[in-house]
Every structure is written in structure tokens, then in C-alpha cells.
Amino acid sequence: KAGVTQTPRYLIKTRGQQVTLSCSPISGHRSVSWYQQTPGQGLQFLFEYFSETQRNKGNFPGRFSGRQFSNSRSEMNVSTLELGDSALYLCASSPPVLGGAQYFGPGTRLLVL
Amino acid sequence: AQSVTQPDIHITVSEGASLELRCNYSYGATPYLFWYVQSPGQGLQLLLKYFSGDTLVQGIKGFEAEFKRSQSSFNLRKPSVHWSDAAEYFCAVGVVTGTASKLTFGTGTRLQVTL
């Protein structure tokens, strides 16, 4: 079974721009979660989607948003980029079992200049 | 609020030596606990998980972890470390609220293996 895929793998943007990251979950997984990883803050939860609905949201500003499509693929969007948004953005999918393990993709490394 | 503490930021062991990485959690209910490993520039790979039942769980790559409720701990162990085990290790607790869930991670332990 193919793992979680994320595109693009690397991205360079400038302050004020917006960016869209994509995630394709493992086949059969309907829950997709997003995390931000930075050296200073570590791994922080952004949001979780299930059946196209946001079920849970972390403590991030409204510039961070996401959505999920009917095929469970998910996108996250960051508008008005700031230097501090430079990070590794990780997507994870999990099977339809409450509290189930999450399986991570390779991440998208975003650099904001 | 839930939290995970990994008290060791950096650990160095010799190849062939045993390994124990510490993890303490704080969570009001029965925890779902996980260990992940991350190599440089990569995503997180699931090593093992604890949901319920047997408190000693086996994972991939020869790792195991023991859940001790009385100590709120979930330490990761390996009897003989290989040079390829050098990476960063994250302990996480799965938090379930209603129908939603998320992982709360510790700050990670970087493992260095000397030959």
C-alpha cells in the first residue's frame, strides 16, 4: 500500500505571498491531520479533517486553513506568509478507528524569505 | 491539558549497547501512546503504539516500549543499537475529544551512535 504523499517537497516563498500544500492519504484512510515542525516550537498540531469536515483545530491564526476533498485528499493554505511560517509541514493520515495511529508523509519544507 | 516530556534532549550510545529513551506523559484519561522516529529531512515513521492490554509492546526495528501507568511513563528500549538507529525520536500521546483526535508530541530525543 502506498504511503502518504505530499507535494511539493520544497517551496520557497516571500513574505506576504500565500501557499497551498497538498496531501494524499493512504488508501482507505479518511482522517488527515496537519502538523507544523520548527526547531523552536517542535511539532505542533494544525488541524484534522475527516469526511471533508474539520474535526479539530490547533492554536494557529486564521491565516492557516485547510480543506479535504471527497477522495480524502487534503490541502492546507497559508495566506500572507510571515518569516516565522518557515517550517516543515507534515501531513498524517489515520484509519477510521478513533485514536488510531497516524502515518506521516515526508513533509513539505517551506522557506519564507 | 495533555503534555509529553522527553527529559533527554541528546543521547549518545555505542553501537551494540542497549538503549532506553524516556517519556513521561500527562493526560487525564487512558492514553493512546506512540513512538515515532525521524531521520534528517524525513517525515515521522511509526515505531510502535500502545492502546490497551499488554503493557509491553513490540515495534519495528527491534524496539519495544513499556507502559507504566503508576509512573505515567512509556519508555522506549532496544537491546542492541545499530548505527542506522541514529535519528530523532518522538514520544506522543493521542488525545481524543469527542470524535476528534490529535497527537501531542514531546520535544524529541536525538540519538547519536558511535562506532
Side-chain angles (χ1 to χ4, degrees):
Chain A
K1 207 182 255 191
V4 177
T5 58
Q6 292 187 245
T7 56
R9 291 293 310 278
Y10 303 93
L11 209 47
I12 300 176
K13 293 285 187 180
T14 57
R15 280 181 298 174
Q17 287 187 308
Q18 73 166 15
V19 66
T20 299
L21 313 181
S22 181
C23 171
S24 292
I26 293 171
S27 177
H29 289 192
R30 291 166 60 191
S31 171
V32 173
S33 299
W34 289 89
Y35 295 82
Q36 181 196 64
Q37 185 177 27
T38 60
Q41 299 298 316
L43 283 152
Q44 294 186 287
F45 172 77
L46 280 158
F47 27 65
E48 179 204 10
Y49 285 88
F50 181 83
S51 292
E52 303 178 64
T53 301
Q54 187 180 87
R55 285 203 301 197
N56 206 352
K57 189 177 189 304
N59 189 25
F60 278 82
R63 299 186 297 107
F64 291 81
S65 63
R67 59 177 176 168
Q68 187 180 33
F69 302 95
S70 58
N71 61 358
S72 295
R73 191 176 69 84
S74 177
E75 289 181 348
M76 68 164 281
N77 183 277
V78 188
S79 62
T80 318
L81 284 166
E82 301 177 359
L83 296 180
D85 297 332
S86 294
L88 181 66
Y89 290 89
L90 293 162
C91 167
S93 73
S94 55
V97 175
L98 194 60
Q102 296 185 13
Y103 297 88
F104 285 79
T108 294
R109 184 162 298 280
L110 171 64
L111 177 61
V112 182
L113 301 176
Chain B
Q2 67 287 341
S3 66
V4 177
T5 301
Q6 294 181 249
D8 303 306
I9 296 172
H10 185 230
I11 283 183
T12 301
V13 299
S14 300
E15 189 175 37
S18 64
L19 172 70
E20 181 169 30
L21 302 182
R22 295 182 291 165
C23 172
N24 292 95
Y25 69 90
S26 173
Y27 185 48
T30 300
Y32 300 90
L33 294 163
F34 308 88
W35 274 99
Y36 288 87
V37 61
Q38 185 178 37
S39 297
Q42 303 297 314
L44 301 174
Q45 182 182 21
L46 178 67
L47 285 176
L48 48 77
K49 56 191 177 186
Y50 171 79
F51 291 157
S52 64
D54 194 351
T55 57
L56 185 63
V57 293
Q58 302 297 321
I60 61 171
K61 303 185 178 186
F63 286 93
E64 66 177 27
E66 186 171 13
F67 171 61
K68 293 185 177 180
R69 184 185 299 276
S70 61
Q71 298 177 21
S72 297
S73 69
F74 188 57
N75 294 348
L76 181 71
R77 300 194 294 248
K78 187 170 184 178
S80 178
V81 170
H82 188 262
W83 64 267
S84 61
D85 293 324
E88 189 148 25
Y89 292 79
F90 293 93
C91 179
V93 60
V95 178
V96 178
T97 52
T99 59
S101 64
K102 70 175 186 178
L103 294 177
T104 295
F105 287 90
T107 51
T109 297
R110 183 167 298 279
L111 173 65
Q112 183 177 357
V113 180
T114 57
L115 301 176

